[in-house]
């Protein structure tokens, strides 16, 4: 749509094309990205969202080509709902029951047009049909305006394939109860009836309500059977995370010096902030701790509990099974999504009859559809309601591929949610094999998805449903040999993670270090370490390892950061920049990503201004890193800001915590920047300012460890000495006296090492490039040198007549010769 606006409407007035409020919103988004406001169409287009782009096109339909108008005509009746679905995804809000099928139908209708506007959409539909599992390797990264709702830690909503639907009456009751006088609201019902789903739906509805009364909405899944002190501590941790608090603030907020009384601490939070606390799955509520906790809730904060048993002190909302029409809609939706032809072909009265036979129970309906999908006849499954779930499970298990069964066995042995990368390592699967197995399991109800937070990213975890675990442990226990093998693989993965974390701690900004956020990254990080190891000899294989890591862990920024490193080695600057951009999108506050991206832009692309911005962001996030500070100094030098480079470089060179290598490099850079600044000021006869810069270089040389003044640092200091001597001759009064004094102080520093006594400065007099030699003049003396006499042979390509150098004069049978020549031209 943006391309079409630019192509067909680009010559029109921006004010006529885009409403003023949309321009204001687009410019606000630009400012958040560090850009200035604009009135130019190209600058605004990139910051128009889906709805705003559609409005601009639709408002000028008469000016568009016929085939594009045909597309808009199809979109018109669906635009509002399409925008709503897009926003639910962008803001990770619960999906509705028909969202998926609605979008697929719309996409198919658009892609059937002969116009070229929908070629990419058609390609996506074809891929989805051929390989549905590829979606498990995607990340949702839609731009969204800031969420103005309260802080929260709500999980990414997962209502199976169907999205949330029905129960509008119960939902209204829950919302009214939350806003009413009762401090505690309970949602009661049998297992699998939908208590968690409706609690989440209510919480997300509150986020969208501008009149909601809470500062934070905190979600805690209470797996414990009673509210123990440890359970309360977990609630406390969830509250701190949701409010954005840090541990040091806890005592002040709670009025306690320690967490000896976790209940009191949580109550203190709920008194200082208006908090809606959701306790999900609290199945046993007879413990006095819970009752006392709920009776002491401060005014303004509230608790929602989902349970099978009432508390007796709350406003309860009882969830009954689905009404007949809702149950039939659920059955229809599941059958269509899973493409169960036998059910799709049934008439509506038969579908309603089946739904009634299962008493409108959502869990039963899901397992029933899974059983028919596996090949059982509907009437067989309904013949014995008591054995319905067992029938479904048995038939579904027989229907599974061996890869899917292997994945199930790994989940049986190793409890807890595992992401794709962990499951791939445990089962020795590739990414594609893992995704195919997971898709198979997800469509047969054996596994459930859950959201996992990894740093700044959301990851998806997979684990057995409670009933699936009971069924598998009873009917398909894992053999001892395979159990031991899986436990061994788990230990290998843990050891790999410890090794990777240790290496990253030792050298966090080395390009060969891979940062891990947690156990879910261990396998992908191992693949990336292999990619780095082979990048120098086989970049193609390295990129394959990066791709595998990206498929297994789509939200893991290091997979793209390492790809950038590999592509940069291969001089693929465009590909490297795209990879680094992707890494920074996934982890905008990662100091390591910012450092590597900035270094790439500085050294490979030659964009020091943007590099400096990224490096300064890295320094703000990691202020103690001398490596980052040194790179900031280098970027400032490349931009010609010698004063800033000297300040930053001096800080690293004199640091007590920086490594000797970092201090040595910073010392060289600082003296080089000083030499450049003095040369520039001397050329415009600003002698007093030039002498001040000489003083900063002298003070640095006197302050640092003498072992740092060697090699290039010594040669830079020798060059600075000669410049200072020239200043003493050119200037008068105070400047001349100071410059002469600095010459003496530099001589004192250089005198600490006898090897510097014979080194002199000179000027390249002549070069014979094709034969690899030239001459250096120093005063009236002239010295021959060969390329082999250079301290750094790479300097040969930078030599030019008139360049300054430092060398060691020597007498040979053939005459005077310059040895150990180093270019010191800035």
């Amino acid at each position: 749509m943006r391309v079409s606006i630019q192509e067909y409407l680009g010559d029109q007035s921006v004010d006529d094309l885009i409403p003023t409020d949309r321009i204001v919103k687009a410019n606000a988004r630009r400012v958040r990205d560090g850009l200035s406001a604009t009135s130019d169409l190209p600058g605004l287009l990139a910051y128009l969202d889906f709805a705003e782009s559609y409005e601009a096109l639709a408002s000028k339909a008469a000016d568009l080509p016929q085939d594009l108008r045909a597309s808009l005509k199809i979109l018109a009746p669906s635009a509002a709902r399409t925008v709503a679905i897009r926003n639910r995804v962008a803001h990770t809000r619960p999906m509705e029951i028909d969202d998926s099928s609605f979008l697929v139908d719309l996409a198919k209708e658009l892609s059937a047009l002969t116009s070229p506007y929908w070629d990419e959409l058609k390609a996506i539909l074809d891929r989805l049909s051929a390989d549905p599992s590829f979606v498990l390797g995607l990340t949702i990264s839609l731009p969204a305006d800031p969420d103005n709702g309260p802080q929260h830690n709500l999980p990414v909503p997962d209502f199976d394939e169907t999205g949330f639907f029905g129960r509008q009456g119960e939902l209204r009751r829950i919302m009214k109860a939350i806003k009413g006088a009762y401090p505690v609201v309970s949602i009661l019902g049998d297992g699998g009836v939908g208590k968690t789903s409706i609690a989440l739906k209510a919480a997300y509805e509150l986020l969208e309500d501008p009149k909601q009364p809470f500062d934070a909405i905190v979600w805690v899944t209470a797996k414990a059977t009673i509210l123990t002190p440890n359970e309360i501590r977990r609630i406390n941790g969830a509250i701190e995370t949701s409010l954005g608090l840090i541990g040091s603030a806890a005592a002040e907020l709670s009025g306690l010096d320690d967490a000896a009384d976790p209940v009191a601490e949580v109550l203190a939070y709920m008194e200082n902030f208006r908090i809606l606390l959701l306790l999900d799955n609290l199945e046993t509520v007879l413990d006095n701790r819970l009752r006392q906790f709920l009776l002491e809730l401060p005014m303004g904060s509230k608790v929602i509990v989902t349970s099978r048993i009432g508390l007796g002190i709350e406003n309860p909302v009882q969830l009954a099974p689905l009404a007949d029409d809702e149950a039939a809609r659920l059955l229809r939706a599941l059958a269509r999504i899973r493409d169960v032809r036998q059910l799709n072909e049934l008439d509506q009265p038969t579908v309603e009859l089946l739904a009634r036979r299962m008493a409108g129970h959502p869990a039963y309906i899901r397992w029933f559809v899974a059983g028919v999908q596996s090949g059982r006849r509907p009437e067989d499954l309904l013949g014995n309601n008591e054995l319905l779930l067992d029938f479904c499970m048995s038939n579904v298990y027989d229907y599974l591929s061996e890869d899917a069964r292997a994945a199930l066995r790994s989940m049986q042995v190793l409890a807890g949610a595992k992401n794709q990368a962990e499951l791939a390592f445990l089962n020795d699967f590739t990414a594609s094999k893992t995704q195919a197995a997971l898709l198979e399991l997800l469509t047969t109800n054996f596994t459930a998805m859950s959201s996992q937070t990894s740093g700044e990213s959301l990851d998806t975890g997979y684990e057995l449903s409670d009933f699936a675990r009971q069924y598998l442990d009873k009917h398909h226990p894992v053999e001892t040999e395979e159990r031991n093998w899986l436990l061994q693989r788990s230990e290998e993965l843990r050891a790999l993670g410890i090794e990777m974390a240790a290496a990253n701690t030792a050298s966090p900004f080395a390009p060969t270090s891979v940062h891990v956020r947690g156990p879910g990254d261990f396998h992908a990080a191992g693949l990336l370490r292999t990619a780095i190891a082979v990048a120098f000899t086989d970049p193609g294989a390295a990129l394959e390892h990066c791709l595998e890591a990206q498929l297994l862990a789509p939200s893991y920024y290091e997979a793209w950061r390492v790809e950038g490193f590999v592509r940069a080695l291969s001089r693929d600057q465009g590909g490297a920049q795209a990879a680094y951009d992707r890494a920074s999108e996934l982890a905008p506050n990662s100091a390591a990503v910012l450092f590597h991206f900035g270094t790439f832009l500085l050294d490979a692309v030659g964009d020091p201004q943007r590099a400096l911005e990224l490096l300064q962001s890295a320094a703000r996030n990691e202020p103690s890193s001398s490596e980052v500070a040194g790179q900031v100094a280098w970027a400032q030098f490349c931009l010609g800001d010698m004063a800033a480079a000297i300040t930053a470089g001096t800080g690293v060179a004199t640091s007590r915590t920086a490594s000797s290598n970092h201090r040595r490099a910073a010392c060289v850079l600082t003296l080089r920047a000083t030499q450049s600044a003095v040369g520039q000021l001397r050329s415009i006869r600003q002698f007093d300012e030039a002498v001040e810069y000489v003083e900063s270089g002298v003070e640095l040389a006197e302050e640092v460890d003498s072992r740092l003044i060697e090699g290039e640092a010594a040669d830079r200091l020798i060059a600075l000495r000669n410049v200072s001597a020239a200043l003493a001759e050119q200037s008068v009064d105070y400047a001349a006296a100071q410059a002469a004094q600095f010459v003496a102080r530099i001589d004192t520093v250089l005198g600490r090492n006898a090897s510097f006594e014979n080194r002199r400065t000179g000027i390249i007099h002549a070069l014979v490039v094709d034969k690899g030699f030239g001459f250096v003049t120093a005063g009236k003396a002239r010295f021959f040198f060969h390329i082999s006499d250079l301290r750094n042979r790479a300097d040969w390509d930078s030599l030019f007549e008139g360049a300054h150098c430092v060398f060691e004069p020597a007498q040979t049978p053939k005459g005077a010769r310059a040895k150990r020549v180093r270019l010191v031209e800035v």
Side-chain angles (χ1 to χ4, degrees):
M1 288 191 285
R2 290 169 177 162
V3 171
S4 296
I5 292 170
Q6 182 64 57
E7 182 175 354
Y8 301 117
L9 307 174
D11 58 346
Q12 300 197 16
S13 165
V14 170
D15 292 333
D16 187 43
L17 185 62
I18 305 173
T20 302
D21 62 324
R22 301 293 194 261
I23 295 175
V24 171
K25 286 179 67 176
N27 275 319
R29 294 167 188 148
R30 285 177 58 86
V31 171
R32 283 200 304 274
D33 276 357
L35 302 174
S36 59
T38 184
S39 58
D40 293 335
L41 182 61
L44 291 170
L45 275 181
Y47 289 89
L48 292 182
D49 69 13
F50 178 80
E52 294 155 357
S53 301
Y54 172 79
E55 289 171 1
L57 273 179
S59 69
K60 301 292 182 180
D63 300 328
L64 301 175
Q66 176 61 37
D67 55 351
L68 184 52
R69 290 204 301 272
S71 294
L72 292 177
K73 186 175 181 180
I74 292 175
L75 271 174
S78 309
R81 184 168 181 189
T82 305
V83 169
I85 296 172
R86 180 264 178 205
N87 291 339
R88 282 196 281 273
V89 175
H91 289 279
T92 59
R93 298 298 192 252
M95 306 301 289
E96 302 294 340
I97 183 173
D98 296 326
D99 282 354
S100 176
S101 56
F102 169 83
L103 285 178
V104 170
D105 288 345
L106 178 60
K108 288 180 177 178
E109 188 175 2
L110 289 169
S111 63
L113 297 173
T114 56
S115 62
Y117 304 107
W118 308 105
D119 289 347
E120 186 173 353
L121 180 63
K122 186 176 187 303
I124 289 292
L125 285 171
D126 290 343
R127 186 176 180 189
L128 190 61
S129 175
D131 177 23
S133 66
F134 91 94
V135 300
L136 298 180
L138 300 177
T139 50
I140 301 301
S141 185
L142 293 178
D145 289 324
D147 195 340
N148 295 321
Q151 298 293 309
H152 69 91
N153 70 333
L154 295 173
V156 174
D158 170 32
F159 304 133
D160 299 303
E161 311 100 308
T162 59
F164 185 85
F165 74 100
R167 302 199 186 282
Q168 293 304 309
E170 292 95 330
L171 184 60
R172 283 192 293 271
R173 277 197 60 196
I174 292 170
M175 297 294 290
K176 185 176 180 180
I178 292 171
K179 295 180 179 180
Y182 278 89
V184 182
V185 178
S186 63
I187 301 173
L188 308 178
D190 295 335
V193 80
K195 301 185 296 294
T196 297
S197 293
I198 200 169
L200 265 178
K201 177 68 172 175
Y204 277 106
E205 291 280 325
L206 282 172
L207 290 181
E208 303 294 336
D209 185 351
K211 296 182 180 179
Q212 65 79 31
F214 301 106
D215 298 318
I217 298 176
V218 181
W219 175 271
V220 181
T221 296
K223 296 291 187 182
T225 56
I226 59 173
L227 204 69
T228 64
N230 282 338
E231 197 71 21
I232 289 290
R233 288 190 180 93
R234 290 200 314 108
I235 296 170
N236 175 44
I239 291 174
E240 284 195 30
T241 301
S242 301
L243 290 173
L245 303 174
I246 56 176
S248 61
E252 183 177 346
L253 286 170
S254 66
L256 300 172
D257 293 330
D258 55 41
D261 187 353
V263 172
E265 187 167 1
V266 171
L267 288 172
Y269 280 132
M270 299 182 79
E271 185 175 358
N272 283 279
F273 300 93
R274 294 169 302 172
I275 293 174
L276 175 63
L277 176 62
L278 293 98
L279 297 178
D280 179 47
N281 198 29
L282 199 68
E283 298 299 3
T284 301
V285 293
L286 302 178
D287 190 84
N288 284 331
R289 289 188 188 90
L290 176 65
R291 295 181 183 277
Q292 192 62 33
F293 169 71
L294 295 176
L295 288 171
E296 294 180 11
L297 286 177
M299 186 173 295
S301 289
K302 296 194 175 186
V303 172
I304 296 178
V305 174
T306 70
S307 179
R308 302 186 192 194
I309 305 172
L311 298 160
I313 56 172
E314 84 281 18
N315 185 355
V317 176
Q318 185 76 43
L319 281 193
L322 294 173
D324 289 349
D325 59 334
E326 292 178 343
R329 284 183 66 203
L330 175 60
L331 198 156
R332 280 283 192 203
L334 281 169
R336 181 177 177 188
I337 290 167
R338 298 185 181 186
D339 195 24
V340 183
R341 182 179 302 176
Q342 189 172 358
L343 295 178
N344 286 333
E345 294 173 351
L346 296 178
D347 58 30
Q348 187 61 23
T350 304
V351 170
E352 292 174 356
L353 175 63
L354 291 173
R356 284 196 299 274
R357 291 281 299 275
M358 289 178 281
H361 197 290
Y364 278 25
I365 294 171
R366 291 188 179 95
W367 289 112
F368 172 79
V369 174
V372 177
Q373 183 183 13
S374 69
R376 297 286 295 185
R377 294 192 307 165
E379 56 270 30
D380 292 340
L381 291 171
L382 292 175
N384 186 342
N385 281 342
E386 293 182 4
L387 297 179
L388 174 65
L389 296 185
D390 191 42
F391 272 140
C392 292
M393 295 296 289
S394 298
N395 284 281
V396 170
Y397 188 83
D398 294 339
Y399 170 79
L400 294 176
S401 68
E402 181 50 41
D403 288 344
R405 295 184 189 181
L408 284 179
R409 291 194 292 271
S410 65
M411 296 182 199
Q412 279 181 267
V413 174
L414 301 162
K418 301 285 187 295
N419 68 7
Q420 292 184 76
E422 291 174 285
L423 291 170
F425 183 90
L426 293 171
N427 293 283
D428 200 16
F429 284 177
T430 63
S432 58
K433 183 180 286 191
T434 304
Q435 290 169 358
L438 284 172
L439 184 67
E440 191 175 346
L441 293 174
L442 287 169
T443 57
T444 51
N445 291 330
F446 265 99
T447 59
M449 294 191 299
S450 61
S451 60
Q452 300 173 321
T453 302
S454 301
E456 297 171 334
S457 304
L458 283 172
D459 201 1
T460 302
Y462 304 86
E463 60 184 321
L464 293 178
S465 64
D466 291 339
F467 190 82
R469 178 173 292 281
Q470 296 172 22
Y471 168 80
L472 290 170
D473 288 346
K474 178 180 178 181
H475 297 285
H476 301 280
V478 181
E479 298 291 337
T480 302
E481 183 177 354
E482 186 172 8
R483 177 180 292 275
N484 290 338
W485 181 79
L486 286 167
L487 291 172
Q488 180 183 341
R489 292 287 289 175
S490 178
E491 182 58 31
E492 290 172 4
L493 185 61
R494 189 184 71 85
L496 173 63
I498 292 173
E499 181 184 345
M500 301 289 292
N504 182 257
T505 300
S507 304
F509 294 100
T512 54
S513 292
V514 181
H515 176 252
V516 291
R517 302 165 298 180
D521 291 339
F522 291 169
H523 178 37
L527 290 169
L528 297 175
R529 183 176 64 174
T530 303
I532 292 169
V534 303
F536 296 91
T537 56
D538 191 349
L543 290 175
E544 288 178 5
H545 286 297
C546 291
L547 176 59
E548 183 77 359
Q550 291 161 6
L551 291 172
L552 287 171
S555 66
Y556 185 28
Y557 55 86
E558 282 287 60
W560 275 267
R561 196 274 301 172
V562 173
E563 180 188 338
F565 169 75
V566 175
R567 292 191 182 278
L569 284 179
S570 304
R571 301 187 183 279
D572 176 7
Q573 291 190 359
Q577 186 157 345
Y580 279 123
D581 269 324
R582 179 61 173 149
S584 64
E585 287 172 4
L586 290 171
N589 296 317
S590 166
V593 169
L594 293 166
F595 173 81
H596 292 301
F597 196 2
T599 298
F600 165 74
L601 293 173
L602 187 61
D603 297 340
V605 177
D607 185 356
Q609 183 57 56
R610 190 182 176 202
L612 178 61
E613 293 167 2
L614 292 171
L615 292 166
Q616 287 175 329
S617 294
R620 286 192 292 272
N621 291 324
E622 199 68 48
S624 62
S625 171
S626 58
E627 191 167 0
V628 175
Q631 202 69 346
V632 168
W634 173 233
Q636 290 164 332
F637 179 88
C638 293
L639 283 167
D641 188 351
M642 299 307 163
I646 290 169
T647 299
T650 299
V652 177
T654 57
S655 169
R656 294 184 177 181
T657 58
S659 69
S660 59
N661 286 339
H662 291 160
R663 285 185 289 131
R664 182 173 289 106
C667 193
V668 169
L669 177 62
T670 306
L671 290 172
R672 185 177 178 186
T674 302
Q675 179 192 348
S676 175
V678 172
Q680 292 170 7
L681 291 167
R682 180 185 166 206
S683 67
I684 57 176
R685 304 187 68 80
Q686 293 185 7
F687 299 132
D688 289 348
E689 291 86 348
V691 167
E692 290 179 7
Y693 275 99
V694 173
E695 183 177 13
S696 68
V698 172
E699 289 177 347
L700 172 67
E702 291 174 335
E703 182 178 355
V704 299
D705 189 322
S706 60
R707 288 172 293 186
L708 298 182
I709 305 299
E710 58 184 24
E712 185 176 356
D715 287 344
R716 294 285 174 187
L717 191 59
I718 291 169
L720 185 62
R721 178 205 177 281
N722 281 17
V723 173
S724 188
L727 277 172
E729 294 178 1
Q730 287 180 285
S731 56
V732 295
D733 301 331
Y734 175 78
Q738 286 292 96
Q741 185 184 23
F742 294 147
V743 171
R745 288 168 66 179
I746 292 174
D747 283 339
T748 300
V749 174
L750 293 172
R752 298 171 187 168
N753 192 327
S755 64
F756 303 145
E757 292 179 359
N758 296 327
R759 291 188 69 70
R760 300 172 60 182
T761 58
I763 298 175
I764 303 297
H765 174 69
L767 279 175
V768 183
V769 176
D770 57 336
K771 294 187 178 180
F773 70 85
F775 294 89
V776 176
T777 59
K780 295 182 180 180
R782 186 180 184 193
F783 301 84
F784 168 85
F785 75 94
H786 186 264
I787 188 174
S788 61
D789 293 315
L790 294 178
R791 268 194 160 174
N792 181 3
R793 290 206 175 196
D795 281 349
W796 178 259
D797 294 331
S798 302
L799 291 182
F800 58 92
E801 294 185 6
H804 290 77
C805 64
V806 174
F807 68 99
E808 188 174 300
Q811 287 295 325
T812 70
K814 294 183 179 181
R817 184 164 183 164
K819 295 281 191 179
R820 299 166 66 198
V821 180
R822 187 192 302 276
L823 179 67
V824 291
E825 190 73 27
V826 178

